[in-house]
Amino acid sequence: MRVAIFVSGRGSNMEAILNEKKKGNLPNAEIALVLSDKADAPALEKANAAGVKTVFVDSKPYRKNREGYDAEVLKVLREHNIEFIVLAGFMRIITPVLIEAFSHRIINIHPALLPAFPGLHAQKQALDYGVKVSGCTVHFVDAGMDTGPIILQTAIPVNPDDTEDTLSARILEFEHRLLPRALDLATSRRLRVDGRKVYLL
Ligand code: GRF
């Protein structure tokens, strides 16, 4: 499947996917495009250095028009015959324009055990709440904020002396394993979705 990775920033999850691809662990995923809503996202440089085609889609002309932005993105995806989307630190809410065009073909990584702590600063939310375990989740994207059917999760202990930085760093290591694995399962057509449940075939 031809895959686009959507990024807004650092791009370490994108790199994890590119590394697994290089190792031959994503046989059914062709990383055809990296798309960013930020012109200066470090992820873009990393993707270019890895020889992956990149595109910046500016959101400024669509400030109050998320659907308009997604329609522009959809045009770009069609030009590149993209069949599957990975959100890897993409800081925008996706609208039905994309969700309907890519039904059960968009996944996202989130740094908490959903449905706990959706949205921004998930690691800080977890620390502030005082949970003893957090983790990361890969899920299909629906119209809600981090609400789609869950594909894979990893639980990680929260230490009493954790800061937002230390917990984020520990979770991130596991994100880098979980996201490529979920992408492999999806592109190998080994996932079946039934309502909220995702079955591994
Ligand atoms: C990750 O923590 C991811 O879970 C969240 O945004 C962060 C992106 O980091 N959605 P990176 O750009 O992949 O390094």
Side-chain angles (χ1 to χ4, degrees), residues 9-14 88-89 91 108-111 123 172 175-176:
R10 179 177 58 182
S12 71
N13 277 289
M14 174 205 75
M91 302 305 286
N108 178 49
I109 177 97
H110 182 73
Q123 304 94 331
L172 192 65
E175 292 183 36
H176 293 165

Side-chain angles (χ1 to χ4, degrees), residues 34-56:
V34 168
L35 182 146
S36 174
D37 64 330
K38 297 270 181 296
D40 57 353
L44 284 177
E45 257 174 57
K46 293 175 183 171
N48 281 326
V52 179
K53 165 101 190 148
T54 59
V55 55
F56 159 58

Side-chain angles (χ1 to χ4, degrees), residues 13-94:
N13 277 289
M14 174 205 75
E15 279 186 296
I17 291 171
L18 297 179
N19 287 338
E20 289 306 308
K21 179 68 200 167
K22 223 194 269 167
K23 286 193 233 160
N25 293 338
L26 287 166
N28 299 305
E30 182 189 345
I31 313 305
L33 188 69
V34 168
L35 182 146
S36 174
D37 64 330
K38 297 270 181 296
D40 57 353
L44 284 177
E45 257 174 57
K46 293 175 183 171
N48 281 326
V52 179
K53 165 101 190 148
T54 59
V55 55
F56 159 58
V57 182
D58 195 355
S59 61
K60 270 189 222 102
Y62 302 100
R63 199 158 275 152
K64 287 209 172 107
N65 179 7
R66 284 185 199 286
E67 284 77 13
Y69 182 78
D70 281 1
E72 180 66 31
V73 167
L74 191 55
K75 217 169 83 192
V76 173
L77 297 178
R78 295 226 156 108
E79 279 163 16
H80 291 86
N81 298 315
I82 298 301
E83 302 170 278
F84 196 91
I85 300 170
V86 180
L87 306 184
F90 187 62
M91 302 305 286
R92 291 183 63 86
I93 294 182
I94 304 269

